[in-house]
Amino acid sequence: MRLRYSDVTPEKLYLSRRELMAGAIALAAIGCDVGAEATAAPMPAGAPLKATPNAAYRVQDAPTKFDAATTYNNFYEFGVNKEDPARLGQTLKPRPWHVQVDGLCAKPKTFDIEEVLKVAPLEERIYSLRCVEAWSMVIPWIGYPLAALLKQVEPRPGAKYVEFTTLKDPEQFPGQKPGFFGGTLDWPYTEGLRLDEAMHPLTLLTVGMYGQVLPNQNGAPVRVVIPWKYGFKSAKSIVRIRLTDTEPKTAWNKAAPQEYGFYSNVNPKVDHPRWSQGTERRIGEFRRRTTLMFNGYADQVASLYTGMDLKKNY
Ligand SMILES: Nc1nc2c(c(=O)[nH]1)N[C@H]1C(S)=C(S)[C@@H](COP(=O)(O)O)O[C@H]1N2
Ligand SMILES: [Mo]
């Protein structure tokens, strides 16, 4: 059975807790215990999360329906189909949770997730997420610049890259069990950015969306969102952030190097070997939109790549 949250229109993004509980009860009533399970945990998915809207960072397009943003997901730890993460996501336990921040830094530290939430004021930013599969969504994320967390550990001058690692635990992520489809990706999922990309003010350490705690299927309890790069750079359910002098290996690059490079900037001029990247389908729409260079953030980020051949560094 496919898990469905109650339908939410873009004009009505901010569900009250009462409405969410009603949704959970409705799910329980149709024989699905996911809602009940989630409400038993501390900081359950669906709990309201306060954040100050940051008007400097909001795309003008209408946000994607909450229902679509939480039922059409890529999260291979739960399966390869878009509906798998919502259907199977309840096995992930986002509390207790720790994030180890280490590597080339003066003050390596393991943060409890409650500490992570308090490193900087939570902001709401409306970014689009453009998947390499040529679809996109517009999502009101909640978080703060990753730079704020990285500054706390004091990166050393030799640090040139940041590696993100997702939790590896087949008990929580059925997709990591051998025989499920264990051969698809090399677990744990890892991703990486150059340090200047990681420190860029657009790079958001993300703990919520749509006014609430991040649902499991969207990468609870903490993920990154890098709005000018394809969605797969935005690693979910992060347990480690490591500063390094060497370009980190990334899960998709290891799986298919000719299709997924390290940089993975949204670039309509560089086709995926199997399809065009020139257009995209916004989830909830039928027409195709023209994909913009750097997903519309060229003014802010193009200077990071001065002198680089972005066809070679795809
Ligand atoms: N750990 C992990 N992170 C991941 C993925 C994944 O499979 N595992 N999929 C990526 C891809 S391909 C996309 S498009 C986005 C989807 O994020 P969303 O489900 O919140 O829209 O998550 C990215 N982060
Ligand atoms: Mo993606």
Side-chain angles (χ1 to χ4, degrees):
M1 184 187 67
R2 189 155 167 222
L3 170 64
R4 284 206 152 272
Y5 286 86
S6 52
D7 206 35
V8 181
T9 64
E11 299 77 46
K12 195 167 164 255
L13 294 176
Y14 305 98
L15 285 183
S16 72
R17 173 127 183 93
R18 190 176 53 76
E19 286 171 298
L20 281 159
M21 294 301 284
I25 290 160
L27 284 169
I30 53 174
C32 175
D33 63 358
V34 172
E37 178 79 27
T39 53
M43 286 290 272
L49 189 61
K50 281 212 174 70
T52 310
N54 186 334
Y57 301 102
R58 47 173 57 219
V59 300
Q60 293 308 309
D61 304 340
T64 300
K65 285 184 178 182
F66 177 84
D67 174 67
T70 55
T71 57
Y72 189 89
N73 301 103
N74 268 342
F75 200 168
Y76 274 44
E77 283 83 345
F78 291 120
V80 297
N81 302 305
K82 298 286 178 286
E83 64 274 16
D84 290 338
R87 193 168 56 86
L88 302 173
Q90 71 277 12
T91 51
L92 173 64
K93 298 284 173 256
R95 294 290 188 288
W97 194 275
H98 295 91
V99 183
Q100 183 182 345
V101 188
D102 65 347
L104 292 174
C105 59
K107 294 188 173 161
K109 180 176 168 173
T110 297
F111 293 78
D112 184 85
I113 188 65
E114 309 305 336
E115 285 179 279
V116 172
L117 281 155
K118 287 178 194 135
V119 165
L122 296 181
E123 300 172 23
E124 181 187 78
R125 297 182 175 197
I126 305 181
Y127 287 162
S128 70
L129 183 138
R130 204 297 191 172
C131 181
V132 76
E133 296 167 310
W135 49 264
S136 63
M137 298 193 200
V138 175
I139 297 181
W141 301 107
I142 296 175
Y144 55 79
L146 173 65
L149 184 79
L150 292 176
K151 279 176 192 157
Q152 293 226 333
V153 301
E154 298 178 13
R156 291 194 191 280
K160 298 282 178 266
Y161 297 91
V162 179
E163 178 192 65
F164 305 94
T165 305
T166 294
L167 176 71
K168 183 179 178 184
D169 180 358
E171 293 308 310
Q172 299 192 56
F173 287 135
Q176 293 177 339
K177 284 188 182 141
F180 189 86
F181 63 91
T184 304
L185 290 177
D186 188 13
W187 311 113
Y189 190 99
T190 59
E191 256 307 335
L193 295 172
R194 232 168 45 193
L195 185 61
D196 57 346
E197 297 175 324
M199 297 296 276
H200 193 280
L202 280 169
T203 300
L204 198 69
L205 191 73
T206 304
V207 294
M209 58 195 272
Y210 296 87
Q212 50 179 275
V213 168
L214 212 52
N216 287 0
Q217 61 269 39
N218 294 87
V222 59
R223 67 176 294 173
V224 278
V225 177
I226 305 112
W228 71 96
K229 291 181 183 272
Y230 292 117
F232 65 89
K233 296 299 282 183
S234 301
K236 295 174 164 179
S237 304
I238 293 169
V239 291
R240 188 175 184 196
I241 301 175
R242 185 174 67 93
L243 291 144
T244 164
D245 56 2
T246 330
E247 190 181 279
K249 295 222 175 338
T250 69
W252 288 101
N253 182 252
K254 281 195 277 182
Q258 68 292 353
E259 301 190 7
Y260 311 111
F262 177 78
Y263 281 91
S264 307
N265 289 317
V266 174
N267 188 345
K269 285 177 277 193
V270 178
D271 286 341
H272 185 278
R274 291 180 280 140
W275 58 81
S276 161
Q277 294 290 20
T279 63
E280 66 200 57
R281 189 173 74 84
R282 186 65 53 78
I283 297 302
E285 295 180 353
F286 291 103
R287 69 181 174 108
R288 297 197 75 83
R289 291 173 175 254
T290 302
T291 289
L292 301 174
M293 188 66 198
F294 297 115
N295 202 24
Y297 295 99
D299 289 352
Q300 290 101 307
V301 301
S303 63
L304 293 172
Y305 309 103
T306 308
M308 279 180 70
D309 179 348
L310 295 181
K311 285 207 164 101
K312 255 197 208 150
N313 295 286
Y314 57 87

